[in-house]
Amino acid sequence: MFEEPEWAEEAPVVADLGSVALRPRTTADSQIKGSKHRQLLATLRALEAASLPQQPPSLPGSDEEDEEEVVQRKKKLPKKVLFASTSPEVKKKRKKKRQKQGPPSSDSKEEEVEKKKCHKGALLGNDFAAEEKRKRKCQKQDPSNPAQPLDNVDQTGSKAWNSSAANDSTKPSPETPCSNPPHTLSRKQWRNRQKNKRRQKNKFRLPQAPEQAPATAAAEETEVPPAPSPDSHGARAEALRARMAQRLDGARFRYLNEQLYSGPSSAAQRLFQEDPEAFLLYHRGFQSQVKKWPLQPVDRIARDLHQRPASLVVADFGCGDCRLASSIRNPVHCFDLASLDPRVTVCDMAQVPLEDESVDVAVFCLSLMGTNIRDFLEEANRVLKPGGLLKVAEVSSRFGDVRTFLGAVTKLGFKVISKDLTNSHFFLFDFQKTGPPRVGPKAQLSGLKLQPCLYKRR
């Protein structure tokens, strides 16, 4: 009639645990305990699910194996490559887990969004650091094109982060060299750009006063030749006339020199008598040629005569401007075809107005010109005293054979005392009179035919 409550049967089990442990187990007891254990496990799982984020179920063996593989790969790979290499594999595994699990809950979606944001921020942070390193390297290598300072990057804020994330695909990797980075110029390109800018500025600049002109403009003006003034035109015309006159004088000198060497002395005398200025022109050209020599023969002869007594009388055949007479103390008779000095006696050197055996020294300094050299030497023999001195200086290029010349002179009543062939421009000979000529006037002396001294056109 009265039914006992259900907890009355279960009371001895809860109250007396020791009796239950000693009591032999039955199938009903094991079923009751298994059901309670299951309930407790279910409640624990529910509490864990409520407190922790829900994870997709997976096979018991596959999760542990995947985690071990990922840990081992992370240990093997370097730090820089870890994130880039493991991310695609993890994404594939997560996709597989989501497909098995089904649509994720709202909590798991929020957690995944937060993880993606963190992952994106880490990527941007790494890219930004790499970009800063690349800019510093470029600034060191190319000082002419400095990069943007790092302070400006901090001031840009979120815009810089968004632009770097958007252009991440176009930017070069930090491992690539910065020799050809985008938006940078080489040194040569930068210089050309600066020059073009300066040209554009100067193109539209107003003309400045000379006081306000910069130093660069003055430097450029020095490079450009100034406009020719009337005075400069006159100076150029004068210089041109002087140059043409010099060439004309040179041509006339060569003509006169050829006439003197190719004809007798009588023809040369008539030439200078008809044109007195021709002798002045010839003498000027002759002096300009002799000045180039290291030693002039007239100075050498004057030095030799200084060592002899000053009482010796000297006859200078072809004296020119009487330089020898001005250099020595001896009395000097000066003879030439025309007069440049009052001391000069104008005459043909084959017939000088002197008495026989009246002089001690006869000098021919570069004056054995014409085709009648034998007449000159015979006249010198006539006016020289017995034992008198004959000095001859002549251009070295005129002598074909010096021995034949010396042999011909000895036949005219002289003997060789000394000869100097060391000079490169002229030879110097000293003869002594031994007596009258030993050959008749019709005898041929081939050694006295010297080559003409002709000057080339320059």
Side-chain angles (χ1 to χ4, degrees):
M1 291 191 23
F2 180 77
E3 294 181 359
E4 293 180 355
E6 294 178 359
W7 54 271
E9 296 179 357
E10 296 176 358
V13 177
V14 177
D16 192 3
L17 295 174
S19 61
V20 173
L22 296 173
R23 192 185 304 168
R25 287 186 179 181
T26 59
T27 57
D29 294 336
S30 63
Q31 290 178 359
I32 291 168
K33 287 184 178 180
S35 62
K36 289 180 179 182
H37 186 64
R38 290 192 201 95
Q39 289 177 1
L40 289 171
L41 290 174
T43 54
L44 289 172
R45 287 177 180 174
L47 291 171
E48 289 178 358
S51 61
L52 298 174
Q54 191 172 5
Q55 295 179 357
S58 61
L59 295 176
S62 63
D63 292 340
E64 295 176 357
E65 292 176 359
D66 294 338
E67 290 177 358
E68 290 177 0
E69 290 177 2
V70 170
V71 170
Q72 289 178 0
R73 288 178 183 175
K74 285 183 178 180
K75 289 180 181 179
K76 291 179 180 179
L77 292 174
K79 292 183 180 180
K80 292 184 178 179
V81 190
L82 271 177
F83 199 80
S85 62
T86 56
S87 58
E89 296 177 359
V90 173
K91 286 181 180 179
K92 289 180 182 179
K93 290 175 183 177
R94 285 180 182 176
K95 284 183 181 179
K96 289 180 182 179
K97 289 177 183 179
R98 286 171 189 169
Q99 291 176 0
K100 291 179 182 178
Q101 183 181 4
S105 62
S106 62
D107 296 334
S108 63
K109 285 182 180 179
E110 292 177 357
E111 291 175 359
E112 288 179 2
V113 170
E114 290 178 358
K115 288 181 180 179
K116 286 181 179 180
K117 286 182 179 179
C118 294
H119 175 58
K120 193 173 183 180
L123 278 173
L124 291 173
N126 293 334
D127 293 340
F128 186 70
E131 186 68 19
E132 288 179 353
K133 289 181 180 179
R134 186 181 64 79
K135 286 180 179 179
R136 287 171 186 166
K137 289 181 180 178
C138 293
Q139 192 170 5
K140 289 180 181 179
Q141 292 183 1
D142 192 2
S144 63
N145 188 16
Q148 184 181 4
L150 297 176
D151 297 338
N152 297 337
V153 179
D154 297 336
Q155 295 175 4
T156 53
S158 60
K159 292 181 180 180
W161 290 94
N162 294 332
S163 62
S164 63
N167 300 327
D168 191 16
S169 61
T170 60
K171 287 182 180 179
S173 63
E175 297 177 357
T176 58
C178 61
S179 60
N180 295 320
H183 309 295
T184 57
L185 298 174
S186 64
R187 189 183 295 273
K188 189 174 182 181
Q189 291 174 347
W190 183 81
R191 287 178 180 171
N192 292 335
R193 183 171 290 182
Q194 295 297 326
K195 287 181 182 178
N196 292 333
K197 287 181 181 178
R198 280 193 232 103
R199 288 173 183 169
Q200 291 296 329
K201 287 181 181 179
N202 296 330
K203 187 176 181 181
F204 303 102
R205 185 178 295 176
L206 294 174
Q208 297 178 353
E211 294 82 5
Q212 299 177 357
T216 56
E220 292 176 357
E221 288 177 1
T222 55
E223 294 178 0
V224 180
S229 62
D231 296 337
S232 64
H233 279 299
R236 290 178 61 185
E238 289 293 334
L240 182 61
R241 279 195 291 269
R243 190 163 58 251
M244 295 302 294
Q246 185 178 4
R247 290 184 178 180
L248 183 60
D249 292 344
R252 292 185 67 187
F253 166 74
R254 289 192 296 272
Y255 169 76
L256 293 172
N257 185 71
E258 185 176 356
Q259 293 297 319
L260 292 175
Y261 279 101
S262 60
S265 58
S266 59
Q269 184 180 7
R270 286 193 302 270
L271 175 64
F272 290 133
Q273 284 178 355
E274 294 173 0
D275 188 4
E277 293 182 358
F279 184 79
L280 180 63
L281 188 147
Y282 174 79
H283 181 73
R284 193 187 307 127
F286 175 79
Q287 290 296 328
S288 65
Q289 295 292 331
V290 175
K291 282 181 181 179
K292 301 176 185 178
W293 294 6
L295 177 64
Q296 293 193 23
V298 65
D299 296 334
R300 172 66 185 279
I301 294 172
R303 188 175 63 186
D304 293 344
L305 293 176
H306 275 297
Q307 299 175 0
R308 297 180 180 272
S311 59
L312 297 178
V313 180
V314 179
D316 188 3
F317 292 79
C319 62
D321 57 354
C322 300
R323 183 170 179 175
L324 181 61
S326 303
S327 303
I328 59 177
R329 298 172 295 173
N330 303 68
V332 180
H333 300 282
C334 300
F335 305 105
D336 211 332
L337 298 174
S339 175
L340 295 176
D341 192 277
R343 293 173 289 183
V344 177
T345 301
V346 179
C347 64
D348 185 0
M349 289 184 295
Q351 297 175 358
V352 294
L354 288 176
E355 297 180 359
D356 296 344
E357 299 180 355
S358 59
V359 297
D360 299 302
V361 180
V363 177
F364 288 88
C365 183
L366 304 178
S367 58
L368 291 177
M369 306 171 70
T371 56
N372 56 337
I373 296 176
R374 178 175 178 175
D375 296 339
F376 301 157
L377 295 176
E378 288 178 349
E379 184 68 9
N381 186 289
R382 182 185 71 81
V383 299
L384 274 174
K385 295 178 181 180
L389 182 63
L390 173 64
K391 296 182 77 67
V392 177
E394 197 54 59
V395 181
S396 58
S397 61
R398 297 190 64 189
F399 295 95
D401 189 359
V402 177
R403 287 184 178 181
T404 56
F405 172 75
L406 296 178
V409 175
T410 55
K411 291 179 181 180
L412 295 176
F414 297 98
K415 71 175 182 179
V416 180
I417 298 175
S418 64
K419 58 181 178 180
D420 186 2
L421 309 178
T422 58
N423 196 283
S424 59
H425 290 78
F426 63 90
F427 293 160
L428 185 62
F429 306 98
D430 287 346
F431 302 94
Q432 187 178 12
K433 179 180 177 182
T434 57
R438 292 179 293 177
V439 293
K442 295 182 179 179
Q444 297 292 329
L445 299 175
S446 60
L448 296 179
K449 293 181 180 180
L450 302 180
Q451 298 178 3
C453 183
L454 302 178
Y455 296 95
K456 297 180 180 178
R457 182 180 179 182
R458 300 184 185 277

